[in-house]
Amino acid sequence: AQSVTQLDSHVSVSEGTPVLLRCNYSSSYSPSLFWYVQHPNKGLQLLLKYTSAATLVKGINGFEAEFKKSETSFHLTKPSAHMSDAAEYFCVVSDPSGTYKYIFGTGTRLKVLA
Amino acid sequence: DAGVIQSPRHEVTEMGQEVTLRCKPISGHNSLFWYRQTMMRGLELLIYFNNNVPIDDSGMPEDRFSAKMPNASFSTLKIQPSEPRDSAVYFCASREGAGTDTQYFGPGTRLTVL
């Protein structure tokens, strides 16, 4: 069975400092992994996606994530936080059993301090 | 591309009333998903359509909930009768096809049942 764990429910960083949002997954198959961002009162926006083409995935707005099979991790990073990055971030694994249903993490709320 | 379109964006109704939420998927997408998001339960998949056919409705909470997809460009989620515990944000997402896995989300409908 697939599962995903976001290790921090809340993360606070100062503007201009690096961001690290942690995600670990469990999958019996080669997973597809995603990060989505949800700003207040908005829908989920795709940040980036891993599908085995490259372990380091670059996304929008300066975010990137590295797939580490040995650690079963897919952490999201950004070198320098901006105030507009304040949002909730979801790590998602896709169930490749045929339906490709999403399994969501519980979310990490990122706060950016001025 | 207009993205996934949902209407209404906000709905306030009284307990016992019928509520209908609407979704227009991205043109050319063959799969459609309805989700519910609450603070307590996070994101829950309610139902999944492929080529307008319901494939998995195991997440539909009870018989008060029903969903239809009469054609490739329109889906509805109906609650009758509505109850206060149905208050949540309802998201629609679409996907290009059953062999792909990236879902694109609409802005959501915030439902409040008084």
Side-chain angles (χ1 to χ4, degrees):
Chain A
Q2 327 297 314
S3 67
V4 61
T5 302
Q6 292 184 244
L7 297 160
D8 306 294
S9 59
H10 293 83
V11 170
S12 291
V13 301
S14 297
E15 190 176 21
T17 65
V19 176
L20 170 64
L21 306 183
R22 298 183 294 166
C23 174
N24 285 95
Y25 70 92
S26 171
S27 175
S28 304
Y29 309 93
S30 296
S32 289
L33 292 158
F34 307 80
W35 276 100
Y36 283 83
V37 60
Q38 184 179 26
H39 287 93
N41 301 312
K42 301 289 186 184
L44 279 74
Q45 180 185 15
L46 179 67
L47 272 179
L48 49 81
K49 169 185 176 181
Y50 166 77
T51 56
S52 78
T55 56
L56 184 62
V57 183
K58 294 190 183 298
I60 62 171
N61 300 334
F63 284 95
E64 61 183 36
E66 186 171 8
F67 174 75
K68 292 186 177 180
K69 186 174 181 178
S70 60
E71 299 176 10
T72 61
S73 69
F74 189 58
H75 301 335
L76 182 70
T77 60
K78 183 174 180 177
S80 176
H82 192 273
M83 296 297 288
S84 60
D85 295 327
E88 186 143 25
Y89 292 78
F90 291 94
C91 183
V92 179
V93 63
S94 175
D95 175 2
S97 65
T99 67
Y100 296 95
K101 286 164 61 175
Y102 274 5
I103 293 109
F104 288 88
T106 50
T108 299
R109 187 165 297 276
L110 176 65
K111 186 174 183 179
V112 181
L113 308 171
Chain B
D1 195 327
V4 176
I5 298 171
Q6 292 187 246
S7 64
R9 293 294 311 279
H10 302 272
E11 177 82 30
V12 180
T13 191
E14 293 190 345
M15 183 174 64
Q17 297 297 307
E18 177 181 300
V19 175
T20 299
L21 311 182
R22 297 172 176 79
C23 175
K24 177 178 170 55
I26 293 172
S27 177
H29 283 196
N30 296 331
S31 300
L32 184 139
F33 303 78
W34 282 101
Y35 292 91
R36 178 171 67 177
Q37 185 180 39
T38 61
M39 290 289 290
M40 292 297 293
R41 301 171 71 96
L43 278 153
E44 303 173 276
L45 176 64
L46 300 178
I47 188 168
Y48 153 49
F49 291 87
N50 192 52
N51 291 322
N52 313 335
V53 175
I55 303 299
D56 182 354
D57 64 355
S58 59
M60 295 287 264
E62 48 198 277
D63 291 346
R64 297 185 298 106
F65 284 69
S66 62
K68 294 182 179 180
M69 193 163 185
N71 57 62
S73 59
F74 183 66
S75 177
T76 59
L77 178 68
K78 184 179 291 187
I79 308 172
Q80 181 185 19
S82 58
E83 297 183 3
R85 60 193 168 120
D86 301 329
S87 297
V89 182
Y90 291 81
F91 288 103
C92 176
S94 71
R95 186 180 72 188
E96 192 170 345
T100 63
D101 53 10
T102 304
Q103 296 180 27
Y104 297 89
F105 286 77
T109 295
R110 181 174 295 277
L111 173 65
T112 303
V113 183
L114 303 174

